[in-house]
């Protein structure tokens, strides 16, 4: 998806632009029932309107309620291809400090958004991150960051991370509000996609079970009419 161009730093926070952005995001999210497709569309929609780069992380369903969680980075989008590669590494190859009081660990643990309107090199060094995480954030060159939880039916199952780098913009509380709205839209869309997938799996299982019962009934009916071992065979 190609996001609409942004003519000024304030564009995304104007009421009209905010409504248009969220309406377009909602339309795109409603077009698919595959949750990974939905999450990539979230990331694509956020860049460059709301971020210079965006990543979406999801907690593996089997580790729900456990700490540390098993987390998979399912979507990444960004302006700079080289930095995009580093963002992907952060979700796959780089160990996280799950005891950190900041960033993704904090958001997944508490279900509360993390807001860093001004990110400095000193802040990154003092943020309670692992050494590898610090190196990547410094390489990306973050100037501002937001991390918002994905919450459905009272459960935090992932998070959207947004960052400013190349544009040197700083996030405002209006940007935070937009990010929260986007996360809410995405969480509903993903929950609906998962419910659909569960319902479809249950329906297929019921159909297979009904077919087995039908076959067993047919065999039983046949056996009830035979009188010799040869006929049974």
């Amino acid at each position: 998806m190609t996001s609409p161009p942004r003519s000024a730093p304030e564009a995304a926070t104007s009421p009209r632009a905010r409504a248009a952005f969220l309406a377009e995001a909602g339309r795109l999210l409603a077009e698919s029932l595959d949750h990974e497709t939905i999450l990539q569309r979230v990331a694509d929609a956020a860049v460059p309107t709301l971020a210079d780069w965006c990543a979406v992380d999801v907690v593996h369903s089997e580790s729900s309620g456990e700490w540390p969680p098993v987390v998979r980075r399912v979507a990444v989008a960004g302006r700079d291809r080289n930095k995009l590669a580093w963002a992907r590494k952060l979700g796959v190859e780089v160990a996280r400090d799950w005891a950190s009081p900041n960033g993704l660990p904090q958001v997944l643990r508490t279900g509360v958004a993390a807001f860093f309107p001004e990110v400095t090199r000193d802040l990154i060094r003092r943020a309670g991150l692992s050494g590898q995480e610090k190196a990547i954030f410094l390489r990306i060159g973050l100037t501002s960051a937001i991390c918002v939880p994905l919450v459905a039916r009272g459960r935090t199952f992932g998070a959207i991370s947004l960052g400013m780098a190349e544009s040197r913009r700083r996030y405002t509380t209006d940007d935070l509000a937009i990010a929260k709205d986007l996360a809410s839209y995405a969480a509903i869309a993903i929950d609906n996609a998962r419910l659909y997938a569960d319902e479809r799996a249950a329906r297929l299982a019921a159909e297979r079970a009904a077919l087995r019962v039908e076959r067993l009934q047919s065999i039983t009916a046949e056996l009830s009419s035979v009188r010799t071992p040869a006929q049974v065979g």
Side-chain angles (χ1 to χ4, degrees):
M1 187 207 104
T2 302
S3 300
R6 183 183 186 124
S7 59
E10 298 79 18
T13 58
S14 70
R16 180 178 298 179
R18 175 179 175 178
F21 170 71
L22 292 174
E24 176 67 6
R27 184 188 68 78
L28 291 168
L29 293 174
E31 287 181 351
S32 176
L33 285 171
D34 176 74
H35 78 273
E36 293 201 11
T37 299
I38 289 170
L39 291 170
Q40 187 58 57
R41 285 178 174 176
V42 170
D44 291 338
V47 178
T49 305
L50 194 57
D52 290 336
W53 69 272
C54 174
V56 186
D57 297 280
V58 171
V59 176
H60 195 289
S61 58
E62 293 182 2
S63 72
S64 179
E66 299 178 359
W67 197 264
V70 177
V71 176
R72 189 163 65 96
R73 177 148 292 182
V74 296
V76 179
R79 289 175 180 263
D80 187 307
R81 289 184 178 275
N82 294 324
K83 290 180 180 179
L84 200 60
W86 284 103
R88 289 195 178 96
K89 281 177 178 281
L90 185 61
V92 179
E93 301 174 19
V94 175
R96 292 187 183 276
D97 180 0
W98 289 106
S100 172
N102 296 303
L104 181 65
Q106 170 212 338
V107 172
L108 294 181
R109 186 168 51 243
T110 65
V112 177
F115 180 41
F116 302 97
E118 184 172 4
V119 176
T120 63
R121 297 178 71 87
D122 185 56
L123 177 65
I124 292 173
R125 293 190 179 98
R126 295 185 290 103
L129 304 171
S130 69
Q132 289 178 305
E133 286 180 294
K134 290 178 184 178
I136 286 181
F137 281 127
L138 289 170
R139 185 179 290 269
I140 289 174
L142 284 181
T143 59
S144 196
I146 293 173
C147 186
V148 286
L150 293 166
V151 182
R153 289 180 284 170
R155 183 175 68 87
T156 301
F157 65 87
I160 301 175
S161 299
L162 303 162
M164 293 296 184
E166 295 86 358
S167 67
R168 313 305 293 173
R169 284 191 57 226
R170 300 288 191 275
Y171 282 124
T172 67
T173 53
D174 286 336
D175 292 316
L176 177 61
I178 297 173
K180 288 180 177 179
D181 286 342
L182 178 63
S184 178
Y185 282 30
I188 292 170
I190 295 161
D191 193 48
N192 287 340
R194 287 177 167 177
L195 288 173
Y196 173 80
D198 291 345
E199 179 185 350
R200 185 170 181 272
R203 185 172 64 252
L204 290 174
E207 289 172 356
R208 285 194 293 267
L211 182 60
R212 285 196 297 269
V213 170
E214 182 182 342
R215 287 174 176 171
L216 287 172
Q217 288 175 336
S218 176
I219 293 170
T220 301
E222 291 288 338
L223 290 174
S224 67
S225 65
V226 303
R227 291 186 172 85
T228 67
Q231 288 176 320
V232 172

